[in-house]
Amino acid sequence: MPSTYDYPPADPEVAAIVGQLSASLEDLPAVLEQFEESLKQGATLGELRGITREEFDSLYRIACKLCNSGEFKHALPIALQLMLHDPRDSRYAFQAGSCLQRLAEYNYAAILFARALDLKQDDAAAAYRLGECLLAINHPVEAKAMFDMAIENARGKFHCRELQDMAEAKLSSLNH
């Protein structure tokens, strides 16, 4: 996997957050070992570290803003930390997968989109993105199944209409 951090974002506050979260990814094995028993009992790392919902939401907004501006390398450490600290929230796995997909790390992205689907089976966007990644790593049969799932999950949801059209187009191109 590529380095998760190259150069600082323009905003100094965001740069400090990204730098801190990137560095703490390197210490993750020791942190996991420290909390091993509690994690085995079902606690999340976020709960054990006392991270509030407001802090999660704030970090998520920062990561979304970075993604929206195309700064996927900067958003990745935030998304990974969110996912590690609250593994039950499908948004974090999806966002980390999105960053990795945009960085052409399709194998890793596929794993995270699959995780997002595990957490939220009706997620049309996760199914679509997983299909794209599977296609990129030369698994067209599995990709077709994901595009089918995306279409089915999007059916009847107005906000997913464009995604449904994109999945239908991908499926059509694979069938010809």
Side-chain angles (χ1 to χ4, degrees):
M1 193 154 92
S3 167
T4 57
Y5 186 64
D6 279 347
Y7 54 91
D11 181 327
E13 276 186 55
V14 172
I17 291 168
V18 171
Q20 177 186 4
L21 294 179
S22 295
S24 69
L25 283 171
E26 294 172 17
D27 299 330
L28 190 59
V31 170
L32 293 175
E33 187 177 317
Q34 175 188 355
F35 292 118
E36 183 176 10
E37 286 307 312
S38 297
L39 292 169
K40 284 181 182 177
Q41 294 174 17
T44 68
L45 201 50
E47 292 165 345
L48 295 170
R49 289 181 146 181
I51 299 172
T52 67
R53 181 56 34 208
E54 292 78 25
E55 291 169 318
F56 276 116
D57 290 344
S58 176
L59 287 172
Y60 183 69
R61 282 191 301 275
I62 291 169
C64 287
K65 183 178 178 184
L66 289 168
C67 282
N68 290 339
S69 64
E71 297 182 64
F72 303 109
K73 274 199 171 194
H74 296 146
L76 181 59
I78 298 171
L80 289 172
Q81 288 284 4
L82 287 167
M83 188 185 74
L84 291 167
H85 282 78
D86 189 358
R88 299 176 203 146
D89 193 324
S90 66
R91 297 176 304 162
Y92 304 150
F94 182 86
Q95 187 172 53
S98 295
C99 292
L100 289 166
Q101 182 184 20
R102 295 300 189 256
L103 295 169
E105 293 291 339
Y106 304 112
N107 286 312
Y108 295 115
I111 292 167
L112 297 181
F113 290 132
R115 173 67 181 153
L117 271 173
D118 283 345
L119 293 167
K120 189 177 175 196
Q121 286 91 22
D122 68 342
D123 189 337
Y128 179 80
R129 290 285 184 87
L130 178 53
E132 287 183 318
C133 290
L134 289 168
L135 204 52
I137 58 176
N138 201 27
H139 292 279
V141 173
E142 294 87 350
K144 284 180 184 182
M146 289 300 104
F147 294 134
D148 279 332
M149 180 187 283
I151 292 165
E152 188 57 37
N153 288 349
R155 197 173 314 285
K157 298 176 185 169
F158 182 75
H159 69 281
C160 292
R161 184 67 196 147
E162 185 178 341
L163 185 105
Q164 183 177 352
D165 291 343
M166 291 179 349
E168 288 170 348
K170 288 274 190 185
L171 203 53
S172 177
S173 72
L174 286 171
N175 289 328
H176 288 81

